[in-house]
Amino acid sequence: MIITPLSEALGAEVRGIDLRRFGDDDLEEIKAAFLKFQMLCFRDQELSPREQLEFSAGFGEIESRPDRPFTFPGIPEVSILSNRVHKGQPVGVINAGDFWHSDLSFGVKPCRATFLYALEVAKDGGDTEWSNMYAALDRLPLSLRSRIEGLHGIHVFDRRRNPRAEVDRQFKKNAENVYGVSIADAVHPIVRTHPETGRKALYISPRFVVGIEGLPDDEGQKLLDELFEFQIKPEFRYRHKWRGGDLVMWDNPCLIHIGRGKIKPPGIRHMHRTMVLGEKPY
Ligand code: OGA
Ligand code: MN
């Protein structure tokens, strides 16, 4: 394997491995690189949904939600992200991840790693951007750092309860079906310890965190605004321009990310996503 950093902030490109055939030694090497770079991009992969699942399963318990819209036929663990329209109907989620977030942070046991595989990419648009929450916490001014010690964020799935996130255009008409599903809110420490590296990271995002437990709302919102602004400073970030065949995996306990969208027609961006669960944040 040849592993080359993609930016100062996070991420590395991996070449010289076919993820359809990986051995235990490969997995060990990948896991070490994953902890070091937080995001890995394997170029030139040719993966069926089953092969992608098999690779993902090397990193934890596969996640699936039976009522999630747009999963691969017969394989509910694989989600389809796509702007393709077939016979007037979208075939996938069009604007996935359009606000900064960490995947499934609204869960009691949120997502550990996400695997996003690009089958087709558009010439313009469709970038994804990540921000490094180890770095954000490390560089947080002491005045702010001391204010968040011991505090917990309230993570909410339903966009209608988050003034910072609009309801997705695609789901406006059936918002109740998409966002009204019974997912309980979760409460997680704002300063999270990464389960494997033991490093501390800032664990909040404007998409999912709507308040701070135990703080009066005006005080909580003010503090959140300051943290949300700080956590996306340009020096913490890497923006990925996808190529067809990229399999990108990222470490949700220590990164937030955003889909930049803005795909220019007739460009088509078509991806398969898998996720593995982690543990309850501490
Ligand atoms: C996701 C996500 C962003 C993108 O799949 O979890 O946030 O650019 N995707 O597709
Ligand atoms: Mn996401």
Side-chain angles (χ1 to χ4, degrees), residues 100-106 111 203 205 208 252-253 255-257:
W100 285 101
H101 65 287
S102 171
D103 286 331
L104 310 182
S105 77
F106 52 83
C111 180
Y203 193 60
S205 72
F208 292 126
N252 285 290
L255 298 181
I256 55 171
H257 61 282

Side-chain angles (χ1 to χ4, degrees), residues 81 96-98 101 103 114 116 126-129 242 250 257-261 269 271 273 275:
L81 277 52
D98 54 349
H101 65 287
D103 286 331
T114 305
L116 193 55
D127 295 356
T128 308
E129 197 166 3
W242 291 84
W250 65 87
H257 61 282
I258 186 169
R260 288 304 185 184
R269 179 193 199 252
M271 331 276 272
R273 186 188 63 200
M275 300 197 267

Side-chain angles (χ1 to χ4, degrees), residues 9-257:
L10 64 105
E13 178 191 82
V14 186
R15 291 183 176 280
I17 179 148
D18 179 346
L19 296 181
R20 290 175 298 189
R21 290 176 268 281
F22 62 91
D24 290 346
D25 289 353
D26 298 325
L27 209 53
E28 285 311 302
E29 194 175 343
I30 292 168
K31 283 182 179 175
F34 189 46
L35 295 179
K36 184 169 172 193
F37 294 106
Q38 298 91 44
M39 173 275 199
L40 298 176
C41 173
F42 300 86
R43 300 283 192 194
D44 306 318
Q45 300 299 312
E46 281 179 55
L47 297 171
S48 69
R50 294 266 173 226
E51 287 161 341
Q52 180 176 344
L53 259 184
E54 215 163 292
F55 176 64
S56 310
F59 298 83
E61 177 195 343
I62 294 285
E63 191 271 354
S64 102
R65 219 186 73 207
D67 56 352
R68 176 172 288 141
F70 300 113
T71 55
F72 195 85
I75 314 182
E77 300 89 347
V78 175
S79 292
I80 301 171
L81 277 52
S82 183
N83 63 327
R84 173 170 284 123
V85 174
H86 182 68
K87 293 186 178 156
Q89 295 297 320
V91 304
V93 179
I94 298 169
N95 292 306
D98 54 349
F99 291 87
W100 285 101
H101 65 287
S102 171
D103 286 331
L104 310 182
S105 77
F106 52 83
V108 176
K109 265 182 11 177
C111 180
R112 172 63 214 285
T114 305
F115 305 79
L116 193 55
Y117 175 52
L119 290 103
E120 285 173 71
V121 297
K123 206 154 104 291
D124 288 302
D127 295 356
T128 308
E129 197 166 3
W130 289 265
S131 188
N132 188 328
M133 293 302 101
Y134 289 138
L137 187 72
D138 284 347
R139 310 232 193 110
L140 203 62
L142 273 181
S143 57
L144 257 179
R145 181 73 169 83
S146 61
R147 280 162 67 203
I148 60 173
E149 200 60 50
L151 293 182
H152 291 71
I154 302 164
H155 296 241
V156 169
F157 174 68
D158 190 343
R159 289 187 185 217
R160 298 169 301 178
R161 289 171 51 207
N162 184 351
R164 293 184 181 88
E166 289 153 51
V167 167
D168 192 288
R169 255 171 300 146
Q170 186 182 6
F171 301 124
K172 267 220 163 91
K173 278 203 206 98
N174 59 345
E176 179 53 28
N177 292 342
V178 174
Y179 299 116
V181 288
S182 60
I183 294 176
D185 300 347
V187 170
H188 300 307
I190 292 179
V191 177
R192 178 177 182 180
T193 305
H194 190 283
E196 282 180 77
T197 64
R199 288 179 68 188
K200 287 185 169 29
L202 193 59
Y203 193 60
I204 52 161
S205 72
R207 166 63 185 89
F208 292 126
V209 175
V210 303
I212 298 179
E213 195 181 51
L215 285 194
D217 197 51
D218 52 345
E219 192 183 328
Q221 297 309 326
K222 244 186 91 222
L223 182 50
L224 286 177
D225 281 337
E226 285 181 65
L227 294 167
F228 292 155
E229 187 186 333
F230 188 85
Q231 74 180 161
I232 53 169
K233 280 169 81 90
E235 60 264 39
F236 307 147
R237 279 149 66 167
Y238 165 67
R239 182 169 179 146
H240 190 63
K241 174 105 196 103
W242 291 84
R243 299 184 202 159
D246 283 355
L247 181 286
V248 170
M249 63 183 290
W250 65 87
D251 193 344
N252 285 290
C254 57
L255 298 181
I256 55 171
H257 61 282

